[in-house]
Amino acid sequence: MKLALMVLLGLAGAAGQAAQATCRQALALGLDVSGSVDDTEYRLQMDGLAAALMHPEVRAALFEMPDAPVSITVFEWSGPESQRVVVPWVAIDGPPALEGVAARLRGVARGASTSSTALGAAKRFGAGLLAEQVGCWKRVLDISGDGTSNTGVRPGLVRPDGITINGLVIEEGENLGARLEDYYTAYVVQGPDAFVERAAGFDSFEAAMVRKLKRELTVLVVSGR
């Protein structure tokens, strides 16, 4: 009887630890570093994402369900074989974890990239990262970019199962934002509640990222309740 009680208590403890480790969302963020993105624009993306994650409303959404944190990874992408993880998977289970991600983004130096834009390969790479997070309630891939795909597998042919893909298009040139938004809507995004956010140039990337993160995280918190 005593042994059985100990086993039950052990199982209860394990279940409690599992509950503590629950992940409500795995969020993979892919940033465009192809040839159309210069060094200044690269920094606007990395620093803008860091600032967006530290935005008070985004922080509040991230910490809304402390027993079921959001896990985040960040990668940069360009050509078919050019993807690099900038921030490995980390559970945002408190301010130190979030501040660590922001610091890593602010300190990262640009890696090797190609001049081409391979959106299909970026989708496939991001889906592979999300496949590592099987226990999360929802898995979301965010692809940011300032142009259409011009090499590699066509993005519309990459349709990974079980994930949502959202887009953030960066306007460069007259009316490109509207055309690029239509392109992302047709060939990039997929899944329940999928959407495309627009940034009016790289200077507006941070504000657009704040809007996108608030929308993603708030919807998930409300549905989780």
Side-chain angles (χ1 to χ4, degrees), residues 132-202:
E132 302 168 2
Q133 303 294 309
V134 294
C136 296
W137 300 348
K138 185 174 184 179
R139 292 178 294 168
V140 177
L141 172 60
D142 279 317
I143 298 290
S144 301
D146 71 342
T148 60
S149 190
N150 57 26
T151 188
V153 61
R154 295 179 182 178
L157 298 179
V158 181
R159 308 289 294 181
D161 293 331
I163 70 173
T164 296
I165 302 179
N166 297 326
L168 194 163
V169 298
I170 304 164
E171 299 179 10
E172 290 291 303
E174 186 178 0
N175 295 325
L176 176 59
R179 297 200 305 274
L180 191 55
E181 183 176 4
D182 289 342
Y183 180 87
Y184 265 61
T185 299
Y187 303 115
V188 178
V189 304
Q190 70 171 54
D193 305 316
F195 65 94
V196 180
E197 184 62 67
R198 287 171 63 178
F202 284 91

Side-chain angles (χ1 to χ4, degrees), residues 19-26 62-72 90-94 136-137 220:
Q20 285 293 109
T22 296
C23 161
R24 78 174 185 266
Q25 178 170 313
L62 284 167
F63 299 146
E64 181 73 21
M65 301 176 69
D67 291 338
V70 174
S71 289
I72 287 177
V90 55
I92 309 301
D93 54 5
C136 296
W137 300 348
L220 189 64

